Amino acid sequence: MAADTPSPAAEITKRSGSNLAIALHCLPRERRDDMVAFYAFCRDADDIADDPAAPAGDKRARLARWSEVVRGEIAAPTPLEAEVLAVFQKYGIDPALPQAIIEGVSMDLEARRYETFDDLLAYCYKVASAVGLVSIEIFGYQNDRCRAYAVDLGYALQITNIMRDVGHDFREDRRIYLPHQDFREFGYTEEDLAQGVENEAFALIMERQYRRATDYFEKAAAELPPEDRRSMAAAQMMGKTYRRLLEKMRAGGFRVLNHRYRVSKLRKLAYLAAAFVQARR
């Protein structure tokens, strides 16, 4: 591959325009490139699960191939697969972590329901906390408490994502991530959701998720060791961005069924600048 030709992972990351892709700019070049490869793995797996044109069997086969890649069982990996596998081997990533991510996105192949919040947390661990646990290995850390930080920040970010995307997830894929137990307690139904009802019951459900996400943001902040604040600058930018998103939803009355809340590009750049300062102290 020519030196000026972007790698497959870099192309995927560039197209995504995600908050994480922005946060990676505060990392040293080598670690940034390695995180780009890992992010491309996460993005590709997620895109496979969300592909509306692909039959479920094809999706499962493609995700099964990623499982084989993670286990080192593919004799002739594609350029993207080779790039990802090299990063996993470089940092000694436990294959159980990327495998958990694959299992998590595979859960989205069905219009699944989550009975309790604990059930939802099991899903959040796979699609978010496991991502955080791989990420901190690439960022580099000194104190093992960073693992608890990664897990709890993952929970906070994913709950926030779920809250923002309640309407989109149901309209597009009939997915409901909010715990069914909360629906029953506050007297809200799936039919209400289908009709876009944003009544007091819905607001109470969302307020409960807000408090859960807030608790995990605060736990994560308390768990981040001082000696690792510099290496976790990208993670802290993600935390600030999603905490801002969480507060915007609450201030707007949780009108998420017909409105998509966003954090402005200017605000993200401010958080990125703060992360740069943090990383260079």
Side-chain angles (χ1 to χ4, degrees):
M1 183 179 295
D4 58 351
T5 302
S7 70
E11 286 286 356
I12 290 172
T13 304
K14 182 179 179 180
R15 289 196 304 267
S16 74
S18 75
N19 290 319
L20 178 59
I22 295 172
L24 297 184
H25 286 288
C26 66
L27 294 175
R29 178 61 183 269
E30 182 179 352
R31 293 185 186 274
R32 180 168 71 244
D33 290 346
D34 293 338
M35 272 300 299
V36 163
F38 172 54
Y39 174 78
F41 157 74
C42 297
R43 181 76 271 161
D44 189 64
D46 195 50
D47 286 347
I48 290 170
D50 287 343
D51 185 352
D58 290 353
K59 294 180 182 182
R60 294 190 185 282
R62 292 165 66 190
L63 290 171
R65 179 180 172 92
W66 265 124
S67 292
E68 293 173 357
V69 170
V70 166
R71 295 194 299 266
E73 298 173 356
I74 297 294
T78 67
L80 174 61
E81 291 167 350
E83 196 175 353
V84 171
L85 189 57
V87 168
F88 289 163
Q89 293 172 342
K90 176 179 179 179
Y91 293 95
I93 302 300
D94 182 351
L97 291 174
Q99 182 58 45
I101 297 169
I102 296 167
E103 291 172 1
V105 299
S106 297
M107 293 169 71
D108 285 334
L109 296 180
E110 303 170 0
R112 181 183 299 267
R113 301 292 183 264
Y114 297 87
E115 176 61 24
T116 68
F117 182 62
D118 284 343
D119 294 335
L120 179 60
L121 276 188
Y123 167 78
C124 292
Y125 176 86
K126 292 179 178 180
V127 299
S129 296
V131 172
L133 288 169
V134 174
S135 297
I136 64 171
E137 297 296 334
I138 300 174
F139 294 160
Y141 63 94
Q142 302 174 55
N143 192 318
D144 281 345
R145 280 202 299 150
C146 262
R147 296 180 59 80
Y149 167 74
V151 170
D152 287 333
L153 182 60
Y155 287 147
L157 298 180
Q158 190 60 27
I159 294 168
T160 304
N161 258 334
I162 287 169
M163 293 173 65
R164 178 193 62 188
D165 293 340
V166 170
H168 175 272
D169 289 335
F170 187 77
R171 285 192 302 271
E172 297 297 317
D173 303 297
R174 287 298 184 264
R175 296 176 189 166
I176 302 176
Y177 295 97
L178 300 175
H180 189 59
Q181 190 175 69
D182 294 344
F183 275 50
R184 288 200 308 273
E185 180 176 342
F186 294 113
Y188 194 76
T189 67
E190 188 167 323
E191 290 71 25
D192 292 332
L193 182 59
Q195 294 172 20
V197 175
E198 292 178 326
N199 56 11
E200 183 180 359
F202 180 76
L204 289 170
I205 292 171
M206 294 296 286
E207 177 68 20
R208 175 167 288 177
Q209 313 320 310
Y210 167 86
R211 294 188 181 281
R212 287 165 168 164
T214 297
D215 286 347
Y216 279 113
F217 275 124
E218 292 177 353
K219 282 182 65 178
E223 289 160 345
L224 179 58
E227 62 268 34
D228 288 315
R229 292 186 182 280
R230 177 176 178 176
S231 61
M232 296 298 130
Q236 291 181 78
M237 181 203 162
M238 288 290 291
K240 289 178 180 178
T241 300
Y242 277 79
R243 184 69 187 266
R244 171 69 177 172
L245 178 62
L246 184 67
E247 296 301 336
K248 284 189 72 171
M249 286 189 285
R250 192 190 200 201
F254 301 118
R255 303 296 182 184
V256 296
L257 298 186
N258 298 292
H259 174 75
R260 186 173 176 85
Y261 291 85
R262 300 179 185 276
V263 175
S264 71
K265 187 174 182 179
L266 184 61
R267 178 79 64 167
K268 290 178 187 177
L269 290 174
Y271 293 151
L272 179 60
F276 267 116
V277 172
Q278 178 71 45
R280 281 157 178 73
R281 282 178 179 170

